[in-house]
Amino acid sequence: MMKTRYVLLTTFLTTAVLASIILTLYYVLTGKGERISVAWFLSDSSPHMWGCIGIGLAVALSVVGAALGIHTTGVSIVGGGVKAPRIKTKNLISVIFCEAVAIYGLITAIVLSGLLEDFPWKQVQDNPSLKSINWFSGYLLFGAGVSVGLVNLFCGITVGIVGSGAALADAANPALFVKILIVEIFGSAIGLFGLIVGIYMTSKSKMGATE
Amino acid sequence: MAVSKWVMMKSFLLLFVSVVLVFGNEHVPVLVWEAKGSVSRQIPDLPSLSKLSSEEFSDFFIKKLSGEAGPQPLIAVFVEENLSVEDFSWQDAEGHIGFPHLENLTSAAKRVEFFPSVHAPLKGLKRLGYRWQTLQVEDQENDLSLPSEGGVVLIVKLGDARIDEDRPEFLKRHDYVISEIYNDLVAKSKDVIALYTSRHSSLVEPAYEPLVRRVRSAPDLDENAIIWNDTDIIFYTTVTPVFIPNTKDPTKFINISKPMCNRDVRAASKSLKCKFDNNNYRLEFRFTTVNKYWYLNIYITDMGSNGTLLSTDTEIYAPEGFSYHCSQNVTFKNDTVLLILRNFQIQPDSKGTFDDAYDCVWFFTVPIWSGLLVTTILVIILMMGLVALMDINTMDRFDDPKGKPININVSE
């Protein structure tokens, strides 16, 4: 009996592939191939959707990364602390590094939410330069959110695994902790990169009715 | 067992369902006639429904036979295996019917009734409570033990067809057998009611009447159809276009359902020019082709002025070899003129009939795609969460199968 996850995965993928093949072949073989148009979708879909997805992913992925990191390192601290209780205070710094990643995501999401504005649909349709500014902002918010979110996701996982190793090494030999902390600092720095890029991207965004 | 239990169960289920479907809703014809010398009976109201259930048929019979103090009749039921209404109306090449003897019997009978569609008539007859006697007749047999007293339902089962005879011959043979047996019965007992029916229908009936009238031939042109065309340019609509030549006076409509249209080809465009209202107005459908797509623009010429463009917010275009169709209101206007088209289809390069249409409403609209995108993202996240939940396992490293189970005292 195969594992449920593989059964689910294969079912989902097979259905998706089959559906897309059938739909695509229908359009291509009836000569309507040009109706499958990514440009039409991108130019007609609302920038609010992209912006909100970006905001959601920024905070959600960051928190997932932080949660996985704290899970990994927390379990090691608790386990190692049974036999070597002296490690418990010093190793909380690993948990703080993971938490910082979640804070980066939160800050970015708040900044992005501030940039999300409403715009008059009719006026935007008539005025191509206004439309381009609003669509640009929508994609910027999406890109910033995705970049910050994914960077923080992997940063959080990394810091967690390193922190877990640091806790167990510290429990075995207290002299090792300080050097391992340097590895953790490098891991945390990459989270900052994502934050910087995200904030820089959103500085150009400008939604609304004025050009 | 070589075949698994599950496969057996599925095949039994399939068999059961098919049996129920086949027998569940069968209706067979019943021909009822009374012998000439039979007792006068009250004529019950014939059921007015076209299909009778078993109960309705037996109710009719009970009403027919009720209220008589005299002897009960002999009911002879001639039962085929398969029969249907079409068998009764069959005629051969010369126009002779399929049951010549039966025709004679029923024309000489006191009273004849025919029910084209009854469900399980034999079951209905059981409700009469008469004595039941069954006879199996293959061919004309001389030593049949026919009953002579009344109060009996005699079921005469007619045999199967021979290998080399077709259905009309088979029915004719049974027809002869029926007439022989019937005459024998009437000779012995005057009071006979005879039925001719079957167990199953010989043709499969559809389960329901289709509720939609199917078009069996090409439909005639709708009287409401408005077609403006010339060789390869066709414009079709079912709703008269609304044309207001002066929007400052919005009540003045011009009826433009029957204009004179002709085709005009220039270097860069192709037009259909339509004149109406005594040449006062002229609408020009101008088609330009760019990159294998044709685009439509409508120009209005009224009372001497040059053609001015009527602008619209839905651009009308389609690739070459396709038509454009829209059921919604499409408005064309400039400062003074207003034209509204609805339910229309248009094509500049047709071959007499419209080709496939590009509709103004897409099948997958942008909101649908956006919704699908967001839903996919959320579903992926959900799946990852579920997989993570399923990965939580109990800690069983220190389990000892031979150890004593832990007792926990619960004190009040």
Side-chain angles (χ1 to χ4, degrees), chain B residues 246-262:
Chain B
N246 194 345
T247 40
K248 296 181 187 52
D249 181 15
T251 52
K252 182 166 172 253
F253 289 82
I254 305 283
N255 181 7
I256 54 170
S257 46
K258 287 198 189 342
M260 295 275 304
C261 292
N262 39 18

Side-chain angles (χ1 to χ4, degrees), chain B residues 296-331:
Chain B
L296 168 68
N297 281 314
I298 298 188
Y299 291 83
I300 180 95
T301 316
D302 55 335
M303 302 202 229
S305 67
N306 287 334
T308 47
L309 174 69
L310 296 177
S311 60
T312 175
D313 40 358
T314 46
E315 212 187 353
I316 296 184
Y317 67 95
E320 284 180 355
F322 287 89
S323 59
Y324 179 87
H325 168 267
C326 201
S327 315
Q328 299 170 340
N329 286 338
V330 180
T331 313

Side-chain angles (χ1 to χ4, degrees), chain A residues 68-86:
Chain A
L68 285 169
I70 294 177
H71 164 252
T72 317
T73 193
V75 160
S76 297
I77 294 174
V78 164
V82 170
K83 284 289 191 180
R86 55 181 162 77

